[in-house]
Amino acid sequence: WDSIKNLITNRKFWVLGFANAFYSAAMSLVLAGMPFFAKYTLGISSGQTTFLFGAVLLIAIACVAVWAKLVKKYTLMPVWRAALIVLAIAFIPLYFANSLVSGIIFAAFVGFGFAGAITTMDLIGAKIMDEDTAKHNLRREGIISNALGFMNRLNGLFTSLAFYLVFKLFAYESGANPGPQPDQAARFLLAVFPPILMVISFASSFF
């Protein structure tokens, strides 16, 4: 009981938990929305969607080292917050993508921001665990990790909200029934709602 009490009274746990939940929701929408975006907004084949995902992942892998160097130079917290806001901004150009080439270029921007988030999120979690161990002289990594995992599952609520709004605003139900404006619905899922989530994630990092 003391472990749970100490955890729920740890402000930094809630800061990371909510920031991570909003970030995870944004990236979940990338996975869910990219195929629709490719088909209805860019007008490319499903096979070419791989190039968009590849741009995100390859740039993310390549840029992890860049963000790691920034952490060493500027310390963890400011770089973490910078990564969150960079990712928020990186989604916006996708709204204006209209071809495979522009889609790949703008998806690469998302990859850069994604690299910053994945580089810093785990470090923030490790920092919270280390501080908890130093303060209470107990190792509770398992409890903290499980609790953060539970918080992360809140992202399902936010992604569900995104699809609910797409249904209400654009009458989009599914790929079989995309409604009268599937291109705009796809833009909303990939280039409007995710940056809003990331701005909230960024704001959460200051509480």
Side-chain angles (χ1 to χ4, degrees):
W1 170 249
D2 286 339
S3 294
I4 296 175
K5 179 181 178 182
N6 290 330
L7 181 64
I8 63 177
T9 56
N10 186 338
R11 180 181 62 84
K12 293 180 180 179
F13 162 77
W14 293 105
V15 168
L16 176 60
F18 279 111
N20 193 32
F22 287 112
Y23 149 75
S24 296
M27 295 311 298
S28 293
L29 286 174
V30 172
L31 293 174
M34 190 73 82
F36 303 124
F37 182 78
K39 179 178 180 180
Y40 296 116
T41 303
L42 301 184
I44 61 177
S45 67
S46 58
Q48 291 176 312
T49 306
T50 304
F51 293 111
L52 301 179
F53 282 121
V56 174
L57 295 176
L58 291 176
I59 294 299
I61 292 170
C63 292
V64 164
V66 175
W67 286 99
K69 288 182 179 179
L70 291 174
V71 170
K72 290 181 180 179
K73 185 174 182 180
Y74 296 107
T75 72
L76 179 57
M77 292 300 293
V79 175
W80 175 49
R81 291 178 176 130
L84 298 178
I85 200 64
V86 165
L87 183 53
I89 295 170
F91 279 108
I92 297 173
L94 281 171
Y95 189 89
F96 304 99
N98 56 12
S99 66
L100 175 61
V101 173
S102 60
I104 290 173
I105 294 171
F106 296 152
F109 295 165
V110 175
F112 179 71
F114 180 43
I118 60 177
T119 301
T120 54
M121 281 288 185
D122 287 343
L123 293 176
I124 295 290
K127 178 180 174 67
I128 291 174
M129 293 176 194
D130 290 343
E131 290 178 352
D132 182 80
T133 299
K135 182 177 180 179
H136 301 286
N137 199 29
L138 288 171
R139 302 195 67 87
R140 295 186 287 211
E141 291 92 341
I143 294 174
I144 296 174
S145 295
N146 289 333
L148 287 173
F150 173 78
M151 291 287 291
N152 192 43
R153 291 185 180 90
L154 293 175
N155 75 72
L157 295 176
F158 309 131
T159 54
S160 295
L161 175 60
F163 279 99
Y164 175 75
L165 290 174
V166 161
F167 171 70
K168 286 295 186 181
L169 294 172
F170 305 103
Y172 183 95
E173 293 184 13
S174 65
N177 186 18
Q181 296 178 291
D183 57 329
Q184 293 301 319
R187 281 192 174 97
F188 182 88
L189 280 178
L190 198 64
V192 175
F193 205 74
I196 292 173
L197 291 172
M198 288 309 306
V199 168
I200 298 173
S201 178
F202 173 72
S204 299
S205 71
F206 287 95
F207 287 102

